[in-house]
Amino acid sequence: MKTLTRELAHETALFSGLDEVVYASNQDLIQENANVDGQSPMGQMSKFGSEAAKAYAKLKLLSDRTLEAIDQNLIHPHDLDFLPTGTTTCVQLPLGKLLKGGFNTGHGFMREPGDIVSAMALASIIFQSNQNMQHGGQSFPMFDYDLAPYVKKTMKKHHKRLTNYPVKWDEADLQAAVLKDTERDVYQACEAFVHNCNSMHSRGGGQVPFVSINYGTDTSTEGRMVMKNLLLATKAGLGNGETPIFPIQIFKMKQGINFSETDPNYDLYQLALETTAERLFPNFSFIDSEVNVGHYNGTPESEVSYMGCRTRVMANRHGDDNSIERGNLSFTSVNLVKLALLSHTTDQFFVKLADTMDIVIAQLLERFQFQSAKQAGHFSFLYGQAVWKGSESLAPTDTLEEVLKQGTLSIGFIGLAEALVALIGEHHGESDVAYDLGYQIISFMRKRVDQASDNYDLNFSLIATPAEGLSGRFTRGDREVFGTIPGVTDRDYYTNSFHVPVYYPIRAIDKINKEGAFHALCNGGHISYIECDGDVTKNIKALDVLVKAMAQANFGYGSINHPVDRCTACGHTGIINNACPSCANTDEEQIERIRRITGYLVGDMKKWNSAKRKEESERVKHDQGRK
């Protein structure tokens, strides 16, 4: 009887959800992911499949204890629709390795490229081929180092071509000509790569690949040329001057490499600041921070790499401490606010938090076992091309446990600020008492995660959840039970992870210092933002101060937000308030407002769900000396 009741409940919920997809009547449902056009035919087909797969997962693949916690609005297993497929969340792709030997897309073999133009084109194809193998993002961890050899190949080609001319070259003139022609090719290759990342179709045509690249520390002539021209191509924008949404770019900061004026890549750091001032990318990661420096051994492979949204994979109980050829397997988030609302004391809160984390750990283990039972042949690109570490020796019928145990299982959280208000009446931006309790809560979670790693000999980690659709879903569920509570459930969204609430007036340096300590606790991923006002292209020095403050505060990964608007009527890009300053256009439908949502950008805020639109509208600026 219990099973039949559950089946009927899931069937009712499924068909109700499908009606909302067919008639596009629920913006929050069809636009759970702002970079998928949920109203397009392929977007709708994807959503049909998603809703049916979630119903199947709940009916067949989740324990009663997990289902009860979901129904109680306590936890949220992310990408539940992909659970039946057994695929993983994300991976840091070994670009150099794939290019060096060539690779098979599943539809044909791509041989090793002979120059930078071909290498960049194949880098795009790798992204597109891999996107259909998993449900999350993908990244190149050493973009500069991996592409430098193909710049060198291009130089050799130009050198050979020029020396074959019936001209007696002065050596200095010859080298200058080689560099000039190579520079031109590298720029064109970078320009094509950026355009490809924003136009290639994946997942049945409903989405461009969700891609990130990490770079910043290669000091060779060839590596520097890749970075310089990538930044210049990003600054130039797309065909009509649009801001590129992908790839998410992460510039790696390192003392002695690009941090100070005497460092060899300091000029590239300055160019990165100019580019982020105009295009919102790159973001910045910090190799020397407390959370990252322990993994660094002086090699490029040991430099930290992030997924653009924030995911971080470094520590490994079964191999080298780096991110290459590894990724996150899955993650599940805890609703800290609901736990606080159910608790009469902080002691009771910690008891409930421990119980809830035990449920999540058990659920992640069940999902890991399901993923591990899949066969390598089910994911021809991920394992057939040895994208994942240790998959070279797998036969198509081999299962995946020995490979996947090198990935991470992550526990996330949302709403620390609102949970603190529910517990003691103020959040961690408002008082030292609240801050200390907030730090204690996240420290408690990290300790439980580390214990799970020891108990099960797997890479459990704590992630500061990049909540998009979840931000409003948890809130709506709690408001139905507890009503509207000031400072807790009175907004349409919960504050992401450990962030100080977006609406709370606070100086930039204070926000940086308060959030910095949480980065080391969240070893599965983290990001913090600073909101700037006005045209930051006119104050690059201020951006430099902010990035250096992030480094000082032990940020692992941070970014700077500011308005980037575009008038589609005339192509003007900049800050547009009530009317376009170029053509006086006042039609809001013709104004694209580029904003960061959870680490990545969205080219049109009309695609955001209602909770995130409301959150964006309430963001205060942090660079105006407010306290």
Side-chain angles (χ1 to χ4, degrees):
M1 179 63 72
K2 183 176 180 181
T3 301
L4 180 59
T5 302
R6 181 193 292 181
E7 289 179 355
L8 290 172
H10 286 305
E11 181 177 302
T12 300
L14 171 62
F15 281 99
S16 175
L18 294 184
D19 283 342
E20 293 177 327
V21 175
V22 171
Y23 299 105
S25 59
N26 185 342
Q27 171 80 0
D28 294 341
L29 177 66
I30 64 175
Q31 291 298 161
E32 282 188 309
N33 185 325
N35 273 314
V36 177
D37 184 358
Q39 299 188 58
S40 68
M42 289 299 102
Q44 282 195 324
M45 283 300 295
S46 176
K47 200 60 188 170
F48 285 143
S50 173
E51 292 303 303
K54 287 178 187 176
Y56 181 87
K58 289 180 177 180
L59 186 63
K60 302 288 188 179
L61 301 177
L62 296 180
S63 69
D64 287 343
R65 195 179 182 205
T66 297
L67 283 171
E68 185 178 2
I70 293 173
D71 292 342
Q72 290 176 344
N73 211 36
L74 291 174
I75 70 170
H76 175 79
H78 292 265
D79 300 292
L80 188 61
D81 47 346
F82 279 92
L83 194 162
T85 71
T87 190
T88 55
T89 302
C90 59
V91 68
Q92 292 277 0
L93 291 154
L95 175 60
K97 175 181 175 182
L98 291 169
L99 292 178
K100 180 65 177 176
F103 58 92
N104 195 320
T105 66
H107 301 284
F109 186 81
M110 305 289 114
R111 60 179 172 268
E112 181 175 353
D115 57 29
I116 189 60
V117 173
S118 297
M120 285 281 201
L122 291 185
S124 302
I125 291 172
I126 289 169
F127 271 154
Q128 187 174 33
S129 299
N130 189 66
Q131 188 68 72
N132 293 310
M133 294 287 108
Q134 53 185 39
H135 58 257
Q138 51 187 317
S139 179
F140 292 140
M142 296 171 26
F143 194 68
D144 41 1
Y145 289 99
D146 286 342
L147 287 169
Y150 301 97
V151 177
K152 184 169 285 189
K153 283 188 174 187
T154 304
M155 287 182 176
K156 289 180 178 179
K157 278 188 174 182
H158 285 307
H159 187 277
K160 182 178 180 179
R161 174 180 59 83
L162 291 171
T163 52
N164 284 335
Y165 285 177
V167 175
K168 185 172 178 60
W169 286 97
D170 174 82
E171 186 60 29
D173 290 341
L174 175 60
Q175 292 304 317
V178 168
L179 285 174
K180 179 181 177 181
D181 288 354
T182 303
E183 192 94 44
R184 179 200 62 219
D185 285 355
V186 175
Y187 179 82
Q188 290 178 344
C190 290
E191 183 180 50
F193 176 74
V194 171
H195 279 70
N196 281 336
C197 286
N198 289 274
S199 60
M200 294 185 299
H201 285 183
S202 69
R203 294 180 178 168
Q207 185 180 4
V208 294
F210 193 101
V211 296
S212 308
I213 54 177
N214 295 259
Y215 60 86
T217 58
D218 188 349
T219 58
S220 71
T221 298
E222 297 82 8
R224 283 172 47 79
M225 198 177 290
V226 169
M227 290 182 273
K228 171 189 170 184
N229 286 284
L230 176 68
L231 289 165
L232 291 175
T234 303
K235 278 186 71 176
L238 302 179
N240 290 321
E242 304 98 322
T243 291
I245 304 306
F246 291 112
I248 305 171
Q249 300 180 36
I250 302 106
F251 190 90
K252 296 186 280 190
M253 298 293 295
K254 178 76 182 73
Q255 294 276 1
I257 298 295
N258 50 36
F259 203 83
S260 304
E261 290 186 25
T262 56
D263 292 344
N265 282 0
Y266 183 76
D267 58 331
L268 294 176
Y269 165 56
Q270 293 300 306
L271 181 57
L273 290 174
E274 294 172 15
T275 306
T276 202
E278 190 164 341
R279 299 297 185 181
L280 288 163
F281 287 146
N283 303 336
F284 297 90
S285 66
F286 302 91
I287 296 171
D288 297 317
S289 70
E290 179 184 341
V291 68
N292 295 325
V293 71
H295 303 286
Y296 181 68
N297 63 17
T299 65
E301 291 79 8
S302 65
E303 296 174 356
V304 68
S305 299
Y306 286 87
M307 292 290 159
C309 63
R310 74 194 61 195
T311 306
R312 173 187 179 277
V313 176
M314 289 299 290
N316 186 7
R317 302 175 70 90
H318 303 285
D320 296 333
D321 273 14
N322 62 52
S323 63
I324 301 171
E325 300 176 74
R326 300 173 59 218
N328 178 249
L329 304 179
S330 63
F331 71 105
T332 296
S333 291
V334 174
N335 182 354
L336 294 179
V337 190
K338 178 66 176 286
L339 294 175
L341 290 169
L342 290 171
S343 303
H344 299 294
T345 65
T346 55
D347 287 343
Q348 191 177 54
F349 170 83
F350 281 106
V351 170
K352 292 183 180 298
L353 178 57
D355 289 344
T356 304
M357 291 188 71
D358 286 345
I359 295 171
V360 172
I361 290 166
Q363 180 263 314
L364 289 172
L365 286 170
E366 290 169 359
R367 190 166 185 171
F368 170 71
Q369 290 161 0
F370 184 82
Q371 291 169 321
S372 295
K374 290 287 185 174
Q375 298 178 0
H378 297 156
F379 309 94
S380 58
F381 195 82
L382 279 177
Y383 310 114
Q385 301 302 307
V387 166
W388 268 78
K389 190 175 296 186
S391 63
E392 293 92 337
S393 60
L394 292 180
T397 56
D398 287 342
T399 54
L400 303 174
E401 54 266 54
E402 289 302 308
V403 172
L404 294 186
K405 70 181 182 181
Q406 301 196 68
T408 58
L409 297 163
S410 298
I411 299 179
F413 62 94
I414 188 172
L416 177 63
E418 289 81 7
L420 290 169
V421 174
L423 288 171
I424 64 171
E426 53 190 0
H427 60 70
H428 54 309
E430 295 178 294
S431 79
D432 291 341
V433 172
Y435 182 87
D436 290 343
L437 178 57
Y439 189 82
Q440 183 183 354
I441 289 170
I442 307 307
S443 297
F444 178 88
M445 296 188 75
R446 172 61 185 274
K447 186 176 293 186
R448 301 284 294 198
V449 162
D450 290 345
Q451 288 171 350
S453 296
D454 292 336
N455 291 342
Y456 301 102
D457 196 26
L458 291 170
N459 299 310
F460 280 88
S461 62
L462 183 66
I463 184 171
T465 294
E468 191 174 329
L470 182 60
S471 177
R473 187 182 306 120
F474 269 166
T475 311
R476 290 190 296 271
D478 289 347
R479 190 186 295 134
E480 289 176 5
V481 176
F482 299 98
T484 300
I485 303 172
V488 183
T489 61
D490 57 341
R491 285 180 162 82
D492 292 339
Y493 57 91
Y494 285 153
T495 299
N496 252 7
S497 63
F498 55 72
H499 292 170
V500 173
V502 298
Y503 51 81
Y504 181 69
I506 187 172
R507 295 189 308 165
I509 189 63
D510 293 333
K511 185 176 192 290
I512 288 171
N513 287 334
K514 283 182 178 293
E515 293 187 5
F518 289 96
H519 284 227
L521 295 177
C522 299
N523 60 336
H526 42 251
I527 191 171
S528 289
Y529 319 103
I530 292 299
E531 299 285 339
C532 292
D533 202 0
D535 185 356
V536 296
T537 62
K538 295 179 171 58
N539 196 357
I540 300 301
K541 181 62 180 174
L543 300 187
D544 175 61
V545 169
L546 289 174
V547 172
K548 297 293 177 60
M550 291 177 181
Q552 183 68 30
N554 266 318
F555 271 37
Y557 179 39
S559 66
I560 300 168
N561 293 343
H562 54 88
V564 174
D565 304 323
R566 189 175 78 91
C567 175
T568 60
C570 71
H572 172 80
T573 299
I575 297 175
I576 302 176
N577 294 318
N578 297 324
C580 173
S582 178
C583 70
N585 176 29
T586 59
D587 186 352
E588 184 63 27
E589 290 298 313
Q590 294 183 325
I591 306 299
E592 287 182 352
R593 302 196 182 277
I594 311 293
R595 300 293 186 270
R596 200 182 314 274
I597 187 166
T598 59
Y600 65 92
L601 304 181
V602 177
D604 185 354
M605 282 183 58
K606 302 178 189 71
K607 294 180 180 178
W608 288 28
N609 64 63
S610 59
K612 296 308 285 186
R613 285 202 306 271
K614 186 64 175 177
E615 183 248 272
E616 192 280 334
S617 72
E618 295 184 355
R619 295 176 185 175
V620 300
K621 308 304 179 183
H622 301 128
D623 56 346
Q624 298 177 358
R626 295 191 185 99
K627 294 186 178 180

